Amino acid sequence: MTPPKILVETAGPVTTIVINRPHARNALDNEAAHALAAAFRSFEADADAKVAVLTGAGGAFCAGADLKELGSGTDYFPWAGSAEGPLRAPLGKPLIGAIEGHACAGGLGVALFCDIRIVDDTAIFGVFSRRWGVPMSDGTTVRLPRIVGQGRALDMLLTGRAVGADEAIAIGLATRKVARGTTRQEAETLARQIAGFPPIAMISDRQSTYESFDRDQAAAVQREMELSLAARRLESQKGAARFASGEGRGGKFAK
């Protein structure tokens, strides 16, 4: 029996999605890309699921589109531009990438789709598809400059060079570096922590951050105010009362 190309595991409020094609460094063929989109939709629709972790099986994250499938004459659909694409628009809830090994070509786009990217020292990012004439259609040309700046993004896009974990941390491409082999564990720990925060304020702040790129500063600040209204009404006073009672003093969070 052929194993599923995308695995989904749940533990309380945390959903872990695993790209399960280790023989191909978790490259996505069309079937796997559609399955990844379906997994994201299911996570979005599950009211009990608060935060997702995305990772790959067998020591690699994602090597992009399956070039063997493409080379056989099967065209791949755009992962970001297509209405059915898994990377079309940010999810409505946080997504953490647990990245080991290759996150290259379209796999870089998958990594960029995550809000937070946790790496170990095996992580390698790069537009390796540059040498094969395969263009980015996974949101990389849009999201990469927003994360690392236009100059660094163009360097990666034009040269196709490899970017290791330490450089990725230095330029903001990766968020945190952890011990080898622990990215999933650390990502799930962080996901549980995030899932424990009052959700309305967290989600509104996240949404405002994404929406700000499409607005001038005044409009972005106005949108931030609009998005924060529900949290101010429903969460802020309760949170302030908890602080006033002594909880969280000194910047410490309850375990």
Side-chain angles (χ1 to χ4, degrees), residues 165-230:
D166 289 335
E167 183 180 359
I169 289 287
I171 66 176
L173 176 55
T175 314
R176 307 183 184 198
K177 184 181 176 184
V178 298
R180 180 178 292 195
T182 68
T183 61
R184 175 175 173 175
Q185 175 187 339
E186 295 289 344
E188 289 174 339
T189 297
L190 180 58
R192 287 190 294 272
Q193 176 186 332
I194 293 173
F197 293 143
I200 302 174
M202 178 188 65
I203 294 299
S204 68
D205 286 349
R206 176 181 178 273
Q207 185 175 349
S208 176
T209 300
Y210 277 115
E211 290 189 16
S212 68
F213 285 104
D214 300 320
R215 293 175 164 85
D216 62 34
Q217 186 174 30
V221 170
Q222 175 68 26
R223 183 58 175 153
E224 179 192 60
M225 181 183 69
E226 295 168 355
L227 289 168
S228 70
L229 182 59

Side-chain angles (χ1 to χ4, degrees), residues 12-253:
V14 177
T15 298
T16 300
I17 301 169
V18 183
I19 304 172
N20 188 38
R21 303 190 74 222
H23 62 283
R25 289 184 175 174
N26 298 316
L28 297 175
D29 58 13
N30 280 343
E31 181 183 11
H34 282 295
L36 180 59
F40 285 152
R41 289 193 297 269
S42 294
F43 164 66
E44 292 268 68
D46 186 349
D48 295 325
K50 306 301 183 184
V51 184
V53 171
L54 177 62
T55 192
F61 182 70
C62 177
D66 189 328
L67 295 186
K68 290 183 178 179
E69 182 181 60
L70 181 60
S72 70
T74 301
D75 194 12
Y76 67 95
F77 70 105
W79 299 348
S82 167
E84 300 300 319
L87 311 182
R88 181 165 177 77
L91 302 181
K93 295 181 279 191
L95 176 65
I96 302 172
I99 300 168
E100 299 175 8
H102 285 77
C104 56
L108 173 59
V110 177
L112 295 171
F113 188 68
C114 300
D115 301 304
I116 295 171
R117 286 162 292 282
I118 296 178
V119 300
D120 69 7
D121 62 4
T122 67
I124 301 173
F125 300 90
V127 188
F128 294 173
S129 53
R130 179 58 56 237
R131 71 194 71 175
W132 311 120
V134 180
M136 297 290 97
S137 59
D138 47 59
T140 291
T141 64
V142 176
R143 296 183 177 118
L144 184 61
R146 293 180 176 186
I147 292 171
V148 305
Q150 183 174 347
R152 291 189 176 104
L154 286 170
D155 176 48
M156 292 181 66
L157 286 163
L158 296 178
T159 68
R161 69 182 183 85
V163 173
D166 289 335
E167 183 180 359
I169 289 287
I171 66 176
L173 176 55
T175 314
R176 307 183 184 198
K177 184 181 176 184
V178 298
R180 180 178 292 195
T182 68
T183 61
R184 175 175 173 175
Q185 175 187 339
E186 295 289 344
E188 289 174 339
T189 297
L190 180 58
R192 287 190 294 272
Q193 176 186 332
I194 293 173
F197 293 143
I200 302 174
M202 178 188 65
I203 294 299
S204 68
D205 286 349
R206 176 181 178 273
Q207 185 175 349
S208 176
T209 300
Y210 277 115
E211 290 189 16
S212 68
F213 285 104
D214 300 320
R215 293 175 164 85
D216 62 34
Q217 186 174 30
V221 170
Q222 175 68 26
R223 183 58 175 153
E224 179 192 60
M225 181 183 69
E226 295 168 355
L227 289 168
S228 70
L229 182 59
R232 296 204 313 270
R233 289 176 174 173
L234 299 175
E235 290 181 345
S236 296
Q237 290 185 354
K238 292 179 181 178
R242 287 166 50 206
F243 178 81
S245 70
E247 184 177 337
R249 294 294 176 88
K252 296 180 180 179
F253 289 106

